[in-house]
Amino acid sequence: MDFSTLSEALESKSYAKIADICDNLMLQVAAEGVPYQDEWPYAIHLLGHIYSDDTNSARFLWKSIPAAIKDNQPELLAAWKIGQKLWVRDYGGVHEAIRGFDWSQQVQGLVAAFSELYTKKMFQLLQSAYSTISIQDTALFLGMNEDNATNYVVQQGWILDAASQMLTVKKQPLVKEQKLDPSKLQNLTEYVFYLEH
């Protein structure tokens, strides 16, 4: 079985392409009727869906994997644990699942990239949802210890109140909608009318 496109995507750190590459390869192999289950890179395939934030596809892939393979591939089980935590929105549990396994050399880059992406996503979630938040909760969401989480958000402009152990969130500036001048709309309408007739 030729996994060269998958290997190239992993080497070039094109992690967003991995799920599609694996899905297409699986369809090709299934169409040819070639048995593939024993050598299929299930952990990478599952992590590709997780990286792409497609938990539905990850869940369906998990359900399609034979039980014997699930039982014999600890890395696959570890990848699924991340998926389970995402599914139930256990934000701190996602970070624990990532750190709770000694990932193979082939998968380490993908897991590290997902971890970084997930931390940024959680930071943006906190930024949009809170005006103040405790250091402890921030650390839980970001998957860091309290000192690292505090340093991370303070570098982003958040303000620390050491006495209360609370952080004041720096909101992103809102982008205002531009209002269209009615005269410009009239000119555009006349121009389109002129072009059509």
Side-chain angles (χ1 to χ4, degrees), residues 139-191:
L140 177 72
F141 276 94
L142 298 180
M144 302 175 184
N145 65 40
E146 291 183 6
D147 289 338
N148 288 346
T150 302
N151 290 335
Y152 182 86
V153 297
V154 167
Q155 288 176 358
Q156 306 298 323
W158 292 20
I159 300 168
L160 169 65
D161 180 357
S164 66
Q165 294 290 291
M166 295 294 287
L167 294 158
T168 301
V169 177
K170 178 184 176 189
K171 296 290 185 182
Q172 290 291 82
L174 295 174
V175 178
K176 293 183 180 180
E177 278 187 42
Q178 289 185 336
K179 305 251 177 181
L180 190 56
D181 182 5
S183 65
K184 290 181 181 178
L185 185 58
Q186 180 63 34
N187 289 342
L188 181 61
T189 304
E190 291 172 3
Y191 182 71

Side-chain angles (χ1 to χ4, degrees), residues 36-180:
Y36 64 89
Q37 293 178 338
D38 292 337
E39 59 187 77
W40 191 259
Y42 285 109
I44 293 172
H45 194 168
L46 191 62
L47 287 166
H49 284 297
I50 289 169
Y51 182 89
S52 299
D53 198 19
D54 188 357
T55 52
N56 283 330
S57 293
R59 205 174 96 228
F60 291 124
L61 175 63
W62 176 256
K63 287 181 177 184
S64 72
I65 300 171
I69 291 174
K70 291 176 185 176
D71 294 340
N72 292 324
Q73 293 188 13
E75 192 164 65
L76 174 61
L77 293 172
W80 178 237
K81 193 171 190 177
I82 296 170
Q84 288 174 308
K85 299 298 182 180
L86 286 168
W87 189 257
V88 296
R89 292 186 171 94
D90 179 357
Y91 305 112
V94 171
H95 296 290
E96 289 172 16
I98 291 168
R99 289 190 300 265
F101 188 77
D102 187 20
W103 301 97
S104 69
Q105 185 79 23
Q106 189 179 24
V107 174
Q108 282 177 350
L110 174 57
V111 173
F114 170 73
S115 179
E116 185 179 322
L117 188 69
Y118 187 72
T119 299
K120 287 178 182 176
K121 183 179 175 181
M122 289 299 99
F123 174 76
Q124 290 169 347
L125 177 71
L126 295 176
Q127 196 169 32
S128 65
Y130 291 90
S131 55
T132 58
I133 186 171
S134 70
I135 293 173
Q136 184 180 10
D137 288 344
T138 303
L140 177 72
F141 276 94
L142 298 180
M144 302 175 184
N145 65 40
E146 291 183 6
D147 289 338
N148 288 346
T150 302
N151 290 335
Y152 182 86
V153 297
V154 167
Q155 288 176 358
Q156 306 298 323
W158 292 20
I159 300 168
L160 169 65
D161 180 357
S164 66
Q165 294 290 291
M166 295 294 287
L167 294 158
T168 301
V169 177
K170 178 184 176 189
K171 296 290 185 182
Q172 290 291 82
L174 295 174
V175 178
K176 293 183 180 180
E177 278 187 42
Q178 289 185 336
K179 305 251 177 181
L180 190 56

